[in-house]
C-alpha cells in the first residue's frame, strides 16, 4: 500500500548524496540482524565465566575505556538521600517506575495501565473508575504499553505537578499526580492506534498576549482507515495518522491534526509555538520493506497557533461518532507556507527520536537507519512558516555522521549532544555548533568529541534535567536492552539496565550499572527539590470516608449491601460482619491511622480482593457475594506487632 509516493520521488540534492553514506535496504536489514546477533552470540563463549565472575565484556572496541573512575564519589551512603528522581516508563508492563539517582535505588512502581494487587490498582472501585470499566464493572483493558514519561512544565522547567505517560496499545494517555505519585486520570483517544510519542507544552500561560494553555501532544504511529469500523480495510486512501492534543488539566481531547505519513516521537519548542515528530513511514507502507523504501522520511512541524485558529474558525471535520475536531495538515491541503498548519522537513531514512536543545534553538532528529543526526533550526522553521523560503529542507543546519543506529539524544547545556547508537552499542558525544560549522563547509571541524561503550543495545538516553532549560549537565542514563552478561543470570528473560554515565568532564565515564525490570523506554531525571509529596492522605478527599470507628456498620437496601469499615492498628472497625449469598456488596474502608507510613492491607480469600489503604485514605471494592461460608478478611501489610491478628470475619449466609 502506497498512497503517497511524493516523498519517495523526492530527489535529495547531489551534495547531500555524496556526503551521506546511505545504506541500501538489504544492507540495513542485514546490519540490524548482525547488530543483534553480535549482542546475543558474542557472549556465548564467555557465558560461563561471565556468569561466574560477573565480569562483563565490552561490546565495541572503538570507544575509549572509561579509566580511573573513583566510584565512591557517586556513592549515596546508607541514610543519605539521592539528588534526583528518575521517572521511567515500564514499557509493556504498563507501569511507571520511580528510581533515585545516582544510587539507582528503586523507590516505587506506579501502576497505571496494569492491574497491581500490591496497591489494589484495577481492583478498587476508585482505580477502576480511572481505568475505565465494562458495564459489568470489570476493567475495560488489562494491558498497557508505556513508552514516554514527561513532567508538566512552567516556563521551560518542571513544576512538579504531573507526569504524563502514553499507552501505545490502546491509544490512551495517563496523568500521574506527583504529590501522591498515583495515576489520577486516563483519557482514551479516539480515532488512533499506536499512540507512541508524547510531549507536554513547555510553557504555561505566562504571556498574557498569547493564550498558552498547557497541552500534551501525542503521535500516532500506525495508519488506520478512517473511520475504522470495518469499511475500507484495504483502501490505502482511507488510511492516515494524526497528531492529538489533550488539555493537561481537563484531560479532554482538544483537537487532532491529519497528516501525511506517520508520527513517532514528539518534541515541543520552549516558546510554546511548535510541536514536532519524526516520521519513519512517509511511504505509508504496511510492510517494513515498504516503510524503508524512501531514502528520506521527514520531521514534521506543527504550527500550534494556526491549528488552534483553524479549529476556532470551524475549519475542521469529525470522524465517525467522535466529536473531536480534526484539521487537515496534509501537504495537499496546505500548499502555501504562509497559511500552512504543518512543515515537513525531509530527513534521512526512518528517523527515530526528536529532541529539543535546552537553549530552545534546535530540534535534533536521530537517523536510525542513517548514521546521521539532523539538526533543524527552529528560527528557520518559523521563517519557512512566514513564507521566507520555499524548501523545508533549508531549515536543516547540520547533519553530522555520528554512528550506526542513532535513536535518542540528550543534552548537557554546554552545547553538546549525547546520542544513543543502538547498533554501535555506544553513546556518542558531539558538539552541535561544530556540526553546524562542518555542514556549512568547514571540513576541518570534527563535531565528534567522545564515544563510550554501553552494554549492549541502548534505546533511550537522557540527561539530568535535560528536557528543561535548567539542564545541569551532570548525568546521562543509557537505558539498555540485551544486557546479557552484566548481571547474575535469572533465566532466559534478562533484566534490562540503566547505565549511569558521568558527563561533567570532557570524557564520559561509566559509573554504574543499575538493573531494571524489562522494559524501560524513556525517562526523565528531575532534581529532588522540585518534587513535593504528601506524606499522608487527606481524610476529606473521599466523599464516602468513614471518619470514626463508631460509624462502622452494615447498611442494607434490598440486595445492595454497603459495609462501612475502618482500620486502625491492630484492628478493623468491625470484628465480623454478615452478608447474604447473592448480595451485591460494597465495602468502604477508611484507614484512620495518622502515623506516617502506617498502611493496612485488606484481603478477602476466594473473593479475589486485595488492596491497601494508606494513612487517612479511603478505598472501596464491590463484588457479588456468590460463595457462602466464613472468610477471614485480613491485613496483608505489616503494620503492628499484632498484624497477624488484624482480621475480621466475613460471614456469607447461605441463601
Ligand atoms: Cu525509542 Cu517507544 Cu521512545 Cu523505546 S521508543 S527506545
Ligand atoms: Cu494492619 Cu497489618
Ligand atoms: Ca521510511
Amino acid at each position: 500500500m502506497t498512497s503517497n509516493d511524493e516523498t519517495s520521488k523526492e530527489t535529495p540534492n547531489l551534495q547531500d548524496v555524496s556526503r551521506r553514506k546511505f545504506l541500501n535496504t538489504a544492507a540495513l536489514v542485514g546490519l540490524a540482524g548482525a547488530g543483534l546477533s553480535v549482542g546475543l552470540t558474542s557472549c556465548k563463549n564467555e557465558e560461563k565465566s561471565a556468569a561466574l565472575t560477573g565480569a562483563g565484556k565490552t561490546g565495541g572496541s572503538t570507544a575509549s575505556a572509561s579509566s580511573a573512575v573513583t566510584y565512591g564519589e557517586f556513592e549515596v551512603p546508607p541514610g543519605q538521600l539521592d539528588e534526583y528522581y528518575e521517572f521511567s516508563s515500564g514499557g509493556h508492563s504498563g507501569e511507571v517506575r520511580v528510581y533515585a539517582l545516582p544510587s539507582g535505588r528503586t523507590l516505587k512502581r506506579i501502576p497505571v495501565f496494569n492491574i497491581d494487587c500490591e496497591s489494589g490498582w484495577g481492583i478498587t472501585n476508585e482505580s477502576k473508575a480511572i481505568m475505565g470499566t465494562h458495564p459489568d464493572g470489570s476493567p475495560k483493558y488489562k494491558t498497557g504499553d508505556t513508552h514516554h514519561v514527561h513532567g508538566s512544565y512552567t516556563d521551560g522547567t518542571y513544576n512538579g505537578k504531573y507526569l504524563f505517560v502514553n499507552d501505545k496499545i490502546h491509544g490512551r494517555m495517563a496523568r500521574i499526580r506527583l504529590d501522591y505519585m498515583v495515576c489520577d486520570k486516563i483519557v482514551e483517544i479516539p480515532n488512533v492506534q499506536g499512540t507512541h510519542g508524547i510531549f507536554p507544552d513547555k510553557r504555561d500561560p505566562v504571556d498574557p498576549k498569547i493564550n498558552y494553555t498547557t497541552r500534551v501532544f501525542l503521535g500516532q504511529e500506525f495508519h488506520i482507515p478512517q473511520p475504522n469500523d470495518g469499511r475500507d480495510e484495504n483502501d490505502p486512501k482511507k488510511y492516515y495518522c494524526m497528531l492529538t492534543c489533550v488539555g493537561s488539566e481537563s484531560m479532554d481531547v482538544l483537537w487532532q491534526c491529519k497528516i501525511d505519513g506517520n508520527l513517532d516521537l514528539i518534541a515541543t519548542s520552549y516558546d510554546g509555538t511548535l510541536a514536532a515528530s519524526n516520521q519513519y513511514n512517509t511511504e505509508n507502507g504496511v510492510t517494513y520493506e515498504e516503510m524503508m523504501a524512501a531514502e528520506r522520511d521527514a520531521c514534521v512541524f506543527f504550527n500550534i497557533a494556526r491549528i488552534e485558529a483553524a479549529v476556532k474558525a470551524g475549519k475542521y471535520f469529525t470522524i465517525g461518532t467522535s466529536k473531536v475536531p480534526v484539521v487537515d495538515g496534509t501537504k495537499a491541503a496546505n500548499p502555501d507556507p504562509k497559511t500552512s498548519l504543518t512543515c515537513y522537513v525531509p530527513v534521512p531514512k526512518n528517523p527515530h527520536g526528536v529532541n529539543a536543545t535546552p537553549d530552545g534553538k534546535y530540534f535534533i532528529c536521530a537517523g536510525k537507519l542513517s548514521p546521521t543526526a539532523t539538526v533543524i533550526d527552529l528560527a528557520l522553521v518559523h521563517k519557512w512558516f512566514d513564507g521566507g523560503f520555499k524548501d523545508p529542507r533549508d531549515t536543516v543546519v547540520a547533519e553530522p555522521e555520528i554512528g550506526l543506529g542513532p535513536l535518542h539524544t540528550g543534552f548537557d547545556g554546554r552545547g553538546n549532544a549525547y546520542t544513543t547508537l543502538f547498533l554501535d552499542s555506544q553513546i556518542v558525544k558531539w558538539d552541535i555548533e561544530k556540526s553546524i560549522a562542518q555542514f556549512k563547509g568547514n571540513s576541518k571541524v570534527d563535531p565528534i568529541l567522545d564515544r563510550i561503550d554501553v552494554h549492549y543495545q541502548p534505546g533511550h538516553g537522557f540527561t539530568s534535567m535535560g528536557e528543561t532549560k535548567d539542564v545541569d549537565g551532570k548525568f546521562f542514563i543509557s537505558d539498555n536492552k540485551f544486557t546479557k552478561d552484566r548481571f547474575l543470570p535469572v533465566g532466559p528473560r534478562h533484566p534490562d539496565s540503566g547505565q549511569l554515565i558521568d558527563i561533567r568532564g570532557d570524557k564520559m565515564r561509566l559509573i554504574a550499572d543499575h538493573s531494571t525490570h524489562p522494559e524501560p523506554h524513556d525517562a526523565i531525571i528531575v532534581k529532588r527539590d522540585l518534587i513535593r509529596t504528601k506524606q499522608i492522605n487527606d481524610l476529606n478527599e473521599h466523599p464516602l470516608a468513614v471518619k470514626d470507628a463508631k460509624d462502622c456498620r452494615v447498611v442494607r437496601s434490598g440486595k445492595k449491601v454497603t459495609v462501612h469499615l475502618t482500620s486502625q492498628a491492630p484492628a478493623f472497625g468491625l470484628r465480623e460482619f454478615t452478608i447474604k449469598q447473592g448480595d451485591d456488596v460494597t465495602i468502604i474502608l477508611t484507614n484512620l491511622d495518622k502515623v506516617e507510613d502506617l498502611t493496612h492491607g485488606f484481603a478477602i480469600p476466594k473473593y479475589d480482593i486485595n488492596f491497601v489503604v494508606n494513612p487517612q485514605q479511603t478505598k472501596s471494592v464491590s463484588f457479588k457475594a456468590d460463595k457462602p461460608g466464613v472468610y477471614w478478611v485480613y491485613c496483608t501489610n505489616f503494620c503492628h506487632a499484632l498484624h497477624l491478628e488484624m482480621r475480621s470475619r466475613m460471614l456469607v449466609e447461605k441463601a
Side-chain angles (χ1 to χ4, degrees):
M1 179 191 82
T2 300
S3 67
N4 171 22
D5 307 358
E6 210 187 309
T7 318
S8 46
K9 273 192 228 135
E10 267 175 20
T11 333
N13 67 55
L14 287 173
Q15 184 209 344
D16 284 338
V17 170
S18 60
R19 220 175 44 74
R20 226 180 287 113
K21 290 168 201 142
F22 281 133
L23 301 158
N24 68 32
T25 300
L28 278 164
V29 175
L31 182 60
L36 295 192
S37 65
V38 166
L40 290 169
T41 58
S42 65
C43 119
K44 273 240 167 87
N45 302 335
E46 301 150 52
E47 203 165 59
K48 274 198 195 122
S49 63
L52 290 171
T53 62
K57 127 185 201 314
T58 47
S61 54
T62 48
S64 61
S66 50
S67 56
V69 179
T70 42
Y71 296 103
E73 192 187 333
F74 305 98
E75 200 184 312
V76 183
Q80 302 239 335
L81 300 181
D82 280 89
E83 198 180 344
Y84 300 95
Y85 285 95
E86 180 192 349
F87 298 104
S88 173
S89 75
H92 43 86
S93 71
E95 65 187 18
V96 166
R97 288 130 187 198
V98 188
Y99 301 102
L101 289 180
S103 75
R105 291 164 181 159
T106 302
L107 301 179
K108 187 172 181 167
R109 291 162 43 239
I110 305 173
V112 180
F113 302 110
N114 56 319
I115 290 167
D116 173 50
C117 63
E118 187 278 324
S119 57
W121 190 256
I123 296 163
T124 62
N125 294 335
E126 292 74 16
S127 58
K128 284 203 271 189
I130 292 166
M131 294 177 90
T133 56
H134 288 298
D136 72 354
S138 60
K140 191 170 174 195
Y141 304 108
K142 299 186 197 71
T143 57
D145 184 20
T146 62
H147 285 241
H148 303 107
V149 181
H150 289 291
S152 54
Y153 286 81
T154 297
D155 200 19
T157 198
Y158 300 125
N159 59 22
K161 197 169 179 195
Y162 296 124
L163 296 176
F164 302 98
V165 64
N166 75 304
D167 169 31
K168 181 167 163 176
I169 307 182
H170 306 300
R172 292 177 292 174
M173 184 180 92
R175 185 174 75 186
I176 289 165
R177 53 183 282 190
L178 278 170
D179 56 353
Y180 288 137
M181 291 200 191
V182 295
C183 172
D184 79 334
K185 228 154 188 186
I186 293 176
V187 56
E188 185 168 348
I189 295 156
N191 314 323
V192 295
Q193 248 175 57
T195 305
H196 189 201
I198 171 174
F199 217 105
D201 241 352
K202 293 202 184 75
R203 273 177 77 143
D204 264 300
V206 287
D207 181 351
K209 291 197 298 294
I210 309 165
N211 185 25
Y212 291 107
T213 52
T214 305
R215 329 155 178 86
V216 188
F217 304 99
L218 298 106
Q220 175 186 354
E221 207 184 316
F222 304 155
H223 291 70
I224 50 169
Q226 297 291 2
N228 188 24
D229 57 4
R231 64 184 113 161
D232 305 324
E233 287 179 354
N234 279 306
D235 181 355
K237 286 192 198 71
K238 294 285 162 53
Y239 278 64
Y240 56 87
C241 292
M242 297 191 288
L243 180 80
T244 296
C245 176
V246 174
S248 70
E249 273 305 324
S250 69
M251 289 289 278
D252 290 336
V253 179
L254 302 178
W255 48 260
Q256 295 182 308
C257 180
K258 174 185 174 180
I259 52 140
D260 294 317
N262 75 337
L263 298 172
D264 191 15
L265 285 290
I266 305 280
T268 59
S269 65
Y270 278 87
D271 63 4
T273 60
L274 298 169
S277 177
N278 64 295
Q279 304 189 276
Y280 66 80
N281 189 12
T282 55
E283 299 90 340
N284 300 326
V286 293
T287 64
Y288 77 81
E289 292 91 341
E290 285 173 7
M291 296 180 206
M292 292 166 71
E295 287 309 318
R296 272 182 181 165
D297 287 289
C299 180
V300 56
F301 286 83
F302 295 88
N303 188 316
I304 304 304
R306 284 186 194 169
I307 290 173
E308 297 196 334
V311 171
K312 223 172 168 187
K315 291 183 204 152
Y316 62 79
F317 59 98
T318 57
I319 298 169
T321 55
S322 154
K323 292 200 173 63
V324 174
V326 181
V327 297
D328 191 343
T330 59
K331 289 178 192 173
N334 294 273
D336 181 5
K338 278 194 196 147
T339 54
S340 185
L341 307 181
T342 49
C343 172
Y344 296 80
V345 176
V347 299
K349 215 171 180 81
N350 289 41
H352 186 71
V354 56
N355 295 89
T357 60
D359 60 10
K361 286 188 187 165
Y362 309 112
F363 278 10
I364 292 176
C365 202
K368 194 169 78 184
L369 300 193
S370 159
T372 54
T374 303
V375 182
I376 300 167
D377 187 328
L378 297 192
L380 293 175
V381 173
H382 280 296
K383 199 168 169 192
W384 183 89
F385 275 122
D386 292 342
F389 52 91
K390 198 86 200 146
D391 185 357
R393 178 67 195 172
D394 292 339
T395 60
V396 172
V397 291
E399 205 152 76
E401 276 192 30
I402 55 173
L404 294 181
L407 292 186
H408 297 284
T409 303
F411 306 98
D412 62 8
R414 298 184 291 269
N416 303 312
Y418 300 77
T419 304
T420 56
L421 301 172
F422 181 79
L423 294 177
D424 277 343
S425 295
Q426 289 181 339
I427 309 305
V428 55
K429 174 183 179 182
W430 52 285
D431 182 311
I432 300 165
E433 291 304 328
K434 277 188 182 162
S435 76
I436 294 170
Q438 185 190 47
F439 193 77
K440 278 192 186 132
N442 186 343
S443 57
K444 286 200 203 89
V445 190
D446 182 6
I448 308 298
L449 302 176
D450 191 24
R451 293 177 191 276
I452 190 168
D453 290 328
V454 291
H455 311 86
Y456 289 92
Q457 257 72 39
H460 272 276
F462 39 90
T463 59
S464 40
M465 295 296 288
E467 302 273 16
T468 75
K469 67 175 174 44
D470 293 336
V471 55
D472 63 13
K474 282 193 189 167
F475 293 116
F476 180 93
I477 289 257
S478 174
D479 268 343
N480 308 315
K481 342 276 188 193
F482 299 99
T483 55
K484 44 185 192 122
D485 50 10
R486 301 297 287 187
F487 304 110
L488 287 175
V490 291
R493 181 60 158 149
H494 295 222
D496 288 329
S497 80
Q499 289 189 300
L500 186 67
I501 294 168
D502 172 17
I503 57 168
R504 295 170 305 170
D506 289 343
K507 291 270 165 206
M508 292 176 276
R509 300 189 304 160
L510 178 62
I511 301 164
D513 278 14
H514 298 315
S515 61
T516 69
H517 293 297
E519 183 190 42
H521 281 254
D522 199 7
I524 54 172
I525 303 175
V526 181
K527 277 222 170 84
R528 71 177 188 201
D529 51 9
L530 293 171
I531 307 295
R532 292 163 299 272
T533 63
K534 294 183 182 173
Q535 299 308 95
I536 61 170
N537 278 72
D538 175 354
L539 188 63
N540 295 314
E541 222 161 61
H542 198 296
L544 303 175
V546 188
K547 293 184 185 171
D548 193 311
K550 288 202 264 332
D551 297 336
C552 288
R553 63 201 189 274
V554 178
V555 178
R556 174 176 291 277
S557 154
K559 282 209 164 301
K560 278 204 178 319
V561 175
T562 309
V563 181
H564 302 257
L565 201 57
T566 57
S567 63
Q568 204 161 10
F572 291 110
L574 297 172
R575 305 304 168 91
E576 61 177 62
F577 55 94
T578 304
I579 53 181
K580 289 198 182 76
Q581 185 181 7
D583 282 347
D584 290 312
V585 182
T586 294
I587 296 177
I588 303 162
L589 174 64
T590 300
N591 181 359
L592 290 180
D593 276 310
K594 283 184 192 154
V595 178
E596 217 174 274
D597 210 19
L598 215 172
T599 292
H600 295 290
F602 188 87
I604 311 179
K606 312 298 179 191
Y607 275 91
D608 208 19
I609 282 166
N610 191 4
F611 65 95
V612 298
V613 273
N614 299 314
Q616 302 282 291
Q617 187 177 33
T618 301
K619 286 181 184 170
S620 64
V621 285
S622 295
F623 58 93
K624 186 146 206 114
D626 52 2
K627 293 172 279 285
V630 172
Y631 299 89
W632 282 102
V633 175
Y634 71 100
C635 175
T636 52
N637 197 72
F638 188 89
C639 58
H640 192 274
L642 294 172
H643 157 69
L644 294 174
E645 290 81 352
M646 184 167 176
R647 304 190 218 162
S648 179
R649 263 188 332 147
M650 181 170 87
L651 309 170
V652 184
E653 288 177 346
K654 213 169 163 63

